[in-house]
Amino acid sequence: MKVLPQPDTTVIKSSYSLITAVSTISPESGTSYKIALVQYASFFKFDRSVAYGDLYYEAILESQKHFIPLKFFIQNNGSGQITAVATASEAEIATFRKAWQK
């Protein structure tokens, strides 16, 4: 998987992060998608029109296909909007895999 650029701190300042993989992705309209993340019962929203959106989209598809965890930044306002995606560190990936295997 390609290493994703670090998100701009102004974009993620009102966000929380989740380290997880994508279980499903489905188009909603135009550049908007509904994404189910492993271990979470609700859907999250992703819009490809954000900065690096196409690169994030490719990583999301790869995460779904190969069960690769990513670091998702979710708006902290209850909307479920994904504001950025980053490559998870080796330690974060190890923690995710350990929790998933329990």
Side-chain angles (χ1 to χ4, degrees):
M1 173 180 280
K2 293 179 185 177
V3 175
L4 297 171
Q6 283 297 322
D8 186 330
T9 54
T10 59
V11 172
I12 62 170
K13 69 179 178 183
S14 298
S15 301
Y16 61 94
S17 63
L18 299 175
I19 310 299
T20 190
V22 175
S23 58
T24 61
I25 179 169
S26 58
E28 281 198 309
S29 64
T31 59
S32 297
Y33 297 84
K34 215 166 41 168
I35 296 178
L37 299 176
V38 172
Q39 300 172 313
Y40 298 92
S42 59
F43 283 96
F44 296 86
K45 300 173 188 173
F46 172 70
D47 192 330
R48 282 176 77 171
S49 66
V50 299
Y52 302 113
D54 289 335
L55 189 59
Y56 293 162
Y57 180 73
E58 289 175 23
I60 287 167
L61 292 177
E62 194 169 337
S63 172
Q64 179 189 22
K65 185 175 181 180
H66 300 289
F67 199 69
I68 299 169
L70 295 168
K71 188 172 194 171
F72 292 90
F73 293 90
I74 316 295
Q75 273 186 346
N76 206 11
N77 62 4
S79 69
Q81 186 70 40
I82 297 170
T83 57
V85 181
T87 305
S89 70
E90 290 298 322
E92 291 168 330
I93 291 170
T95 301
F96 169 79
R97 295 216 186 278
K98 184 177 178 182
W100 184 249
Q101 291 174 355
K102 287 184 180 181

